[in-house]
Amino acid sequence: MSEKILIPILGDQLSMDISSLDGQNPDDCILLMMEVEDETTYVRHHKAKIAYILSAMRHHAKALAERGWSVDYVKLTDPDNRGSFSGEIARALERHRIDRIRITEAGEWRVMAMIENWEDQFAIPVSICPDRRFIATHQDFTNWADGKKQLRMEYFYREMRRTTGILIDRDGKPEGGKWNYDSANRKPARGDLSIPQPIRFRPDAITEQVLTMVAEEFSGHPGSLEQFHFAVTYEEAMRQKRKFLDEALPRFGDYQDALLSGEPFLWHSILSPYINSGLLDPLDLCHEVEQRYRDGDVPLNAAEGFIRQIIGWREYIRGIYWREGPDYVERNFLKAKRPLPEFYYSGETDMHCLSEAIGQTLDLAYAHHIQRLMITGNFALIAGLDPQAVHQWYLEVYADAYEWVELPNTLGMSQFADGGIIASKPYASSGNYIHKMSDYCQKCHYDVTKRVGENACPFNALYWDFLDRNQNRLADNNRLAMPYRTWGKMDSQTRDDIRRQAKSFLDQLQGN
Ligand code: FAD
Ligand code: DLZ
Ligand code: SF4
């Protein structure tokens, strides 16, 4: 009798060619997919995020079965469901005669720790396959990072360009002569531009069932299901990808940093949930983007800008996550400890930029990068919110959020809580930046030109107060020399007024 292998497929491993299936004969394998309470509740995930993941899992199970795999699928509502991956592995071992377990490595420390326990826990051999959906292996990242004083994304990105050969010309030089065209990518958007809209997929019967279940079981979780729009199959994700390549990619570069009221998507791809859960392959996507450039359909600044996000930022962020270890989450360089204000869960605030970014997040489980970094992230940073509370919020509310990608972006890039491993300076700004890049301030109760006074934009006083509060930790950062000089040149009355304005705002925020 041939050996029987149990292959658990986790909710973010929804690729037909996931490495755990490499070289396996469907007759010898049972694929186990588990909807479990622990995963749905370890943070209070947005309802639409849960619905997306569970519906995509159910569709993927069906597609695997159609390809001849035996799939054992455990639903959340199964009365015997033990509520955890390990509990469900134990139950599967009771149901089937299994000789060994084979699994693709998990995306985060928490789940890897469980998997590494299984061999002892169940007295069965467990093999863990590397996740081939990333370009750099853990060892590649270590090789690149070891011995470096600073781990800047830009240099890692160049390595990834050389490794993949993407946008490298025949002489081995970067296409167009420059590695990075970011300086061409800073245009503010105007409402009269015609903005492409992503496809909003109509839920099928499987998704409808999941939506009903999620509405019943997770009513206390944040977010709404009313505008559920996600692709839940490989085919739908491919359609969304094509729409992006055809319509939004050509201007992706120009408007990458733009912000506009009532326009949640702009020229972004909205593909991160599919890339992160396995429906789309990141490297294939980059090859297609490169081809669009080579065919003359998109300019270089758009193709390069997009490819950098994936083979640069995404790979780099994952490298940092595994390199920094499970206690990265506890870092708090700036010793920030203010609780998250309630409006992060309601969107109800007079600050229009925040109500836009949070409102659309609660409606769609999506916000684009600049909203995450320069609106919700920037506010949290300059208001001194507890970085762990901020991390938890980001992990909850975005459909693309898994700890490996969310945590370094939030704690490191956005909150500077790692002291500058990712960002060379804090992404802190006053209202001026938001005014320049968006139309938010024109529609706001507050006046972006005022630093103090009744309707002064809170970002202004908070920005200077942030620098002042953190002077002992930040003043020797060269990249902050100019703002610290400006602060130093203000007369003491002005500085006191700003401090008072910030204090009164922060006291109000906490209901004091
Ligand atoms: P596009 O603008 O179209 O970008 C293309 C792709 O590039 C994205 O789909 C994504 O796969 C990749 N990408 C871009 N920037 C990054 C980045 N900094 N890190 C990793 N991948 C990147 N991204 C997540 O996938 N999950 C998260 O939980 C997440 N949390 C974030 C938290 C904060 C505070 C910040 C500042 C950024 C976070 N990001 C996260 C990165 C980025 O904001 C999202 O990847 C992007 O907004 C997804 O939308 P999109 O697909 O339309 O992206
Ligand atoms: C995020 C998530 C949720 C909400 N639910 C499940 C689930 O029920 N079953 C599952 O296999 N995966 C789920 N996931 C994704 C997992 O949390 C993700 O696969 C791990 O974090 C990987 O490390
Ligand atoms: Fe945001 Fe200030 Fe502009 Fe209002 S005025 S939208 S609070 S930056």
Side-chain angles (χ1 to χ4, degrees):
M1 210 161 50
S2 65
E3 205 187 26
K4 223 31 178 187
I5 308 165
L6 183 71
I7 305 187
I9 307 277
L10 306 181
D12 59 354
Q13 299 183 343
L14 309 182
S15 316
M16 279 299 161
D17 58 353
I18 193 80
S19 58
S20 52
L21 301 182
D22 282 356
Q24 303 305 303
N25 180 347
D27 294 339
D28 300 336
C29 304
I30 305 233
L31 274 44
L32 177 66
M33 296 185 70
M34 309 160 267
E35 296 178 5
V36 291
E37 193 185 339
D38 276 7
E39 296 307 306
T40 52
T41 57
Y42 71 90
V43 292
R44 289 188 321 140
H45 301 286
H46 192 300
K47 296 184 193 80
K49 175 184 182 184
I50 301 179
Y52 162 64
I53 292 172
L54 300 192
S55 178
M57 282 175 66
R58 291 183 187 193
H59 283 91
H60 189 64
K62 202 161 155 266
L64 285 164
E66 281 162 10
R67 293 196 181 195
W69 294 97
S70 304
V71 184
D72 184 354
Y73 193 96
V74 182
K75 287 192 175 166
L76 201 63
T77 46
D78 178 335
D80 296 324
N81 192 320
R82 291 190 189 160
S84 70
F85 285 147
S86 296
E88 280 309 303
I89 295 282
R91 220 159 59 88
L93 294 175
E94 290 160 16
R95 268 197 308 277
H96 308 284
R97 186 195 59 74
I98 297 293
D99 297 294
R100 63 189 175 91
I101 297 176
R102 189 179 149 89
I103 186 167
T104 293
E105 63 181 313
E108 59 193 66
W109 287 105
R110 183 181 60 85
V111 181
M112 264 321 269
M114 278 182 228
I115 295 174
E116 280 163 359
N117 212 20
W118 288 347
E119 197 153 286
D120 288 345
Q121 193 176 352
F122 303 123
I124 197 166
V126 177
S127 47
I128 303 174
C129 314
D131 193 341
R132 269 191 289 99
R133 295 172 298 171
F134 293 92
I135 300 157
T137 63
H138 299 307
Q139 192 57 50
D140 291 337
F141 194 81
T142 303
N143 292 347
W144 172 76
D146 273 356
K148 288 196 171 55
K149 257 200 183 142
Q150 288 191 321
L151 302 180
R152 291 291 163 248
M153 192 288 297
E154 178 61 26
Y155 298 104
F156 175 74
Y157 165 56
R158 293 179 190 180
E159 284 292 308
M160 292 295 97
R161 289 272 293 278
R162 290 190 194 96
T163 305
T164 57
I166 294 179
L167 292 181
I168 297 290
D169 68 17
R170 281 201 207 96
D171 305 321
K173 299 257 164 43
E175 190 68 27
K178 283 200 317 188
W179 289 103
N180 182 318
Y181 291 85
D182 218 15
S183 55
N185 292 355
R186 306 231 166 94
K187 292 197 184 131
R190 296 190 321 267
D192 57 352
L193 291 164
S194 111
I195 297 169
Q197 295 300 322
I199 308 168
R200 293 184 178 223
F201 293 92
R202 200 186 298 267
D204 67 0
I206 294 178
T207 303
E208 285 293 2
Q209 261 196 0
V210 172
L211 289 170
T212 305
M213 187 270 284
V214 170
E216 280 168 12
E217 303 284 329
F218 301 97
S219 56
H221 284 224
S224 147
L225 290 169
E226 270 165 37
Q227 296 193 46
F228 186 89
H229 62 285
F230 291 107
V232 290
T233 63
Y234 166 77
E235 290 75 19
E236 287 179 345
M238 292 292 272
R239 278 177 57 205
Q240 191 70 281
K241 177 190 72 178
R242 274 193 297 274
K243 185 135 199 314
F244 165 69
L245 294 174
D246 291 343
E247 296 179 13
L249 177 63
R251 304 182 100 166
F252 174 86
D254 291 349
Y255 297 114
Q256 205 179 327
D257 288 359
L259 301 146
L260 207 58
S261 300
E263 293 291 347
F265 308 117
L266 295 170
W267 287 268
H268 292 275
S269 69
I270 334 297
L271 296 178
S272 49
Y274 317 130
I275 301 171
N276 292 349
S277 64
L279 296 184
L280 292 181
D281 183 76
L283 193 55
D284 285 352
L285 177 57
C286 290
H287 283 302
E288 284 193 64
V289 169
E290 180 183 26
Q291 196 55 48
R292 296 284 173 130
Y293 160 70
R294 300 217 178 273
D295 293 344
D297 296 334
V298 306
L300 184 53
N301 72 315
E304 188 280 318
F306 187 81
I307 286 166
R308 176 162 21 93
Q309 304 313 310
I310 303 227
I311 70 171
W313 278 111
R314 188 170 182 273
E315 293 278 332
Y316 165 84
I317 285 288
R318 178 193 188 235
I320 295 286
Y321 175 76
W322 288 104
R323 185 175 173 80
E324 290 304 315
D327 59 359
Y328 186 64
V329 67
E330 287 156 28
R331 314 260 170 105
N332 189 353
F333 177 72
L334 299 174
K335 307 268 182 284
K337 50 181 190 297
R338 208 170 291 281
L340 206 70
E342 270 171 28
F343 65 70
Y344 271 76
Y345 288 104
S346 68
E348 284 166 22
T349 161
D350 286 340
M351 292 177 276
H352 181 59
C353 51
L354 280 160
S355 78
E356 278 279 315
I358 295 169
Q360 75 167 65
T361 297
L362 297 173
D363 286 344
L364 303 166
Y366 177 81
H368 60 73
H369 186 69
I370 294 301
Q371 291 175 310
R372 297 188 205 194
L373 188 64
M374 297 312 295
I375 307 295
T376 42
N378 178 23
F379 180 82
L381 175 70
I382 60 181
L385 305 190
D386 172 0
Q388 280 196 33
V390 180
H391 148 60
Q392 188 172 316
W393 182 79
Y394 277 95
L395 189 55
E396 287 173 349
V397 297
Y398 292 112
D400 57 20
Y402 300 87
E403 194 187 71
W404 69 265
V405 56
E406 175 278 328
L407 180 66
N409 268 303
T410 303
L411 199 101
M413 185 187 318
S414 162
Q415 300 302 296
F416 208 71
D418 64 6
I421 294 172
I422 294 182
S424 54
K425 73 170 173 108
Y427 281 97
S429 91
S430 67
N432 197 26
Y433 172 89
I434 297 169
H435 183 45
K436 204 170 72 196
M437 296 309 294
S438 77
D439 65 349
Y440 291 156
C441 305
Q442 293 159 30
K443 304 180 179 184
C444 187
H445 159 83
Y446 293 105
D447 182 345
V448 71
T449 63
K450 284 169 73 178
R451 275 202 298 240
V452 293
E454 207 185 314
N455 65 340
C457 164
F459 282 75
N460 292 338
L462 287 179
Y463 170 72
W464 292 111
D465 189 60
F466 164 79
L467 289 178
D468 185 38
R469 259 185 283 136
N470 290 295
Q471 195 140 12
N472 58 340
R473 299 184 185 96
L474 297 176
D476 58 359
N477 183 318
N478 291 337
R479 299 200 57 205
L480 293 176
M482 195 141 85
Y484 271 118
R485 256 199 311 277
T486 310
W487 175 247
K489 279 188 200 152
M490 289 180 201
D491 60 56
S492 62
Q493 178 65 49
T494 307
R495 286 204 301 249
D496 280 348
D497 288 347
I498 288 174
R499 287 186 189 112
R500 235 189 328 272
Q501 178 84 14
K503 181 170 182 322
S504 124
F505 177 82
L506 290 172
D507 285 349
Q508 253 179 34
L509 202 62
Q510 270 185 272
N512 294 341

